Amino acid sequence: MTNINFTYLPGDGIGPEVGEAAMTVLTAVADKFGHDLNAEQHLVGGAAIDAGLKPLPDESFESARRTGAILLGAVGGPKWDHLKGEDRPELGSLLPLRKRLNLYANIRPCKPYPALIDKAPLKRKRLEGVDFVVMRELTGGIYFGDKGRDENGAYDECRYSVAEVERIAIKAFDLASTRRKKVTSVDKSNVLETSRLWRETVIEVAKDYPDVELEHLLVDAMTMHMLTRAQDFDVILTENMFGDILTDEASVLCGSMGVIPSASLSDGKMGMYEPIHGSAPDIAGQGKANPLAMILSASWMLRLSFGLTAESEAIERAVEAALDGGHVTGDLGGKLSTQAVGNWIASHVSG
Ligand code: NAD
Ligand code: IPM
Ligand code: MN
């Protein structure tokens, strides 16, 4: 029996909706496999601001640090867009959680499910066999540089240290070693000095991995290659902002923003798990959000933070069964509500 003690941060918009569906699935898994499930639920983002607290209340952060396993819905939305800097949900909660917990390695998969290939806007031949992972650097770059306004305008500084590039490159090469042994490093080294350092450092790290092929692509070209030859990629290694943009693009290959989970990891077991999508204000409160990305994030938490592989696989099989049977939300052409998808997956796991 494992004590699945984690920090649950539903957040804003569709965050609590997809979160509830994922909690239903986690409860079913814990019952089925005989584990204790203990979710420490806390406020984060706009929900914390509305309660008169900081975007990242101390008790939310302390819980996250203590449990070391965090399941997060999404933060932000138009209601808080007038706020500035660290008063905003994104800059005041999500970014400090990542930075203060040193969650520098963000893993986002792109492997279109067979049942979804015909839902994507690209031709079947561009999608069959696609199976790559984006290794996104998450605690450096332009997100965390000095930013502000002066008399002429505004600025955002982009900095990377050699050590920051080295450690994320090592994660990418280690992962590629267990997969198809190819790393595609994406940068803008024809313009940016940080990208020149990125490329030089990645080339150095690659020397320790003679079995892994290394390719370099410029980010603008990469947006095109991802749509025309996605099958060629195995591990895509890139910096913070490029990884943010490229993974939303990758979601189009998978049929919806609502199916891609992510894990943000450090050197030990600490991990934060969240969908790549946001709070989707346009559909929030309507039961329309696809919960699969959140359910799969919960599955990754079980596997990576608690070592519960069979439990994680049971969820993944149930997700595939839901997709095969069309038990899905409207973004995938189905008719089910968010919670109905969660219930369907939970009963499949229990059955
Ligand atoms: P978004 O990802 O919230 O939504 C983009 C589009 O995808 C919308 O049309 C939305 O309806 C759709 N979508 C997203 N998730 C879906 C799901 N699970 N099921 C069905 N459709 C889904 O991006 P946005 O609209 O640019 O941002 C909205 C807010 O979310 C912003 O405040 C942004 O800062 C925040 N955001 C937060 C996170 C996070 O907390 N991790 C991530 C991205 C964006
Ligand atoms: C994501 C989001 C965040 C990011 C925002 C909300 C700060 O877009 O996790 O992809 O840019 O990292
Ligand atoms: Mn994003």
Side-chain angles (χ1 to χ4, degrees):
M1 194 201 70
T2 300
N3 182 10
I4 307 170
N5 186 32
F6 70 102
T7 300
Y8 170 44
L9 304 174
D12 307 321
I14 63 168
E17 300 173 50
V18 296
E20 199 179 326
M23 287 300 295
T24 305
V25 174
L26 282 173
T27 305
V29 171
D31 284 352
K32 165 91 175 175
F33 290 85
H35 301 304
D36 258 355
L37 188 73
N38 179 27
E40 298 188 11
Q41 183 172 337
H42 288 284
L43 293 170
V44 72
I49 295 170
D50 287 353
L53 303 167
K54 298 183 283 186
L56 181 59
D58 294 342
E59 60 177 24
S60 307
F61 180 71
E62 280 317 315
S63 169
R65 198 209 309 261
R66 181 164 25 79
T67 63
I70 305 125
L71 184 64
L72 185 139
V75 298
K79 186 172 180 193
W80 306 283
D81 273 346
H82 65 283
L83 297 170
K84 294 188 183 124
E86 289 171 13
D87 291 335
R88 294 180 59 85
E90 299 89 338
L91 274 87
S93 68
L94 192 58
L95 266 48
L97 269 167
R98 292 171 177 173
K99 186 77 172 180
R100 291 169 67 188
L101 298 174
N102 199 27
L103 302 170
Y104 65 86
N106 181 230
I107 301 176
R108 300 181 165 194
C110 179
K111 184 178 179 183
Y113 287 99
L116 296 185
I117 286 196
D118 293 322
K119 310 265 186 238
L122 294 181
K123 291 192 178 82
R124 171 169 275 274
K125 67 171 185 189
R126 305 246 188 257
L127 300 170
E128 279 172 334
V130 170
D131 179 4
F132 65 78
V133 173
V134 177
M135 183 65 76
R136 170 188 176 195
E137 201 290 328
L138 200 62
T139 53
I142 196 166
Y143 279 52
F144 292 97
D146 192 19
K147 48 176 99 279
R149 300 265 176 142
D150 59 24
E151 60 283 10
N152 300 315
Y155 56 92
D156 294 277
E157 186 184 47
C158 183
R159 279 184 174 270
Y160 267 111
S161 69
V162 174
E164 282 175 314
V165 183
E166 256 169 15
R167 65 181 185 172
I168 191 72
I170 289 169
K171 289 269 192 203
F173 279 94
D174 283 346
L175 181 60
S177 302
T178 69
R179 292 174 47 98
R180 299 198 314 280
K181 302 191 170 25
K182 181 173 173 190
V183 169
T184 301
S185 176
V186 178
D187 63 38
K188 186 73 187 172
S189 58
N190 51 348
V191 176
L192 302 178
E193 199 54 35
T194 42
S195 279
R196 297 182 69 80
L197 179 90
W198 183 277
R199 197 176 278 218
E200 284 161 26
T201 309
V202 171
I203 289 170
E204 279 306 306
V205 170
K207 290 180 181 162
D208 291 334
Y209 298 85
D211 296 346
V212 180
E213 182 193 343
L214 172 62
E215 167 186 43
H216 301 279
L217 288 176
L218 298 172
V219 64
D220 48 351
M222 181 64 189
T223 61
M224 185 262 300
H225 291 296
M226 191 178 278
L227 301 181
T228 54
R229 59 176 191 97
Q231 287 95 343
D232 291 351
F233 304 119
D234 179 21
V235 175
I236 295 171
L237 164 64
T238 193
E239 61 101 77
N240 204 343
M241 187 159 73
F242 299 158
D244 178 43
I245 297 167
L246 289 174
T247 49
D248 270 26
E249 185 186 6
S251 79
V252 178
L253 276 57
C254 296
S256 169
M257 280 287 275
V259 299
I260 305 200
S262 84
S264 304
L265 306 173
S266 190
D267 292 320
K269 275 203 156 180
M270 174 77 73
M272 182 156 81
Y273 305 88
E274 52 173 323
I276 74 156
H277 64 70
S279 59
D282 53 336
I283 56 165
Q286 302 172 40
K288 288 184 181 168
N290 186 340
L292 295 183
M294 185 66 162
I295 290 168
L296 291 166
S297 298
S299 154
W300 278 24
M301 178 179 79
L302 294 184
R303 185 193 300 255
L304 298 173
S305 279
F306 295 97
L308 299 173
T309 309
E311 291 78 347
S312 173
E313 283 171 1
I315 297 178
E316 276 155 26
R317 276 197 307 275
V319 166
E320 274 170 48
L323 292 168
D324 290 341
H327 307 286
V328 291
T329 42
D331 55 312
L332 298 178
K335 291 196 166 51
L336 295 193
S337 69
T338 308
Q339 189 56 37
V341 172
N343 294 346
W344 195 93
I345 290 170
S347 26
H348 192 279
V349 167
S350 309

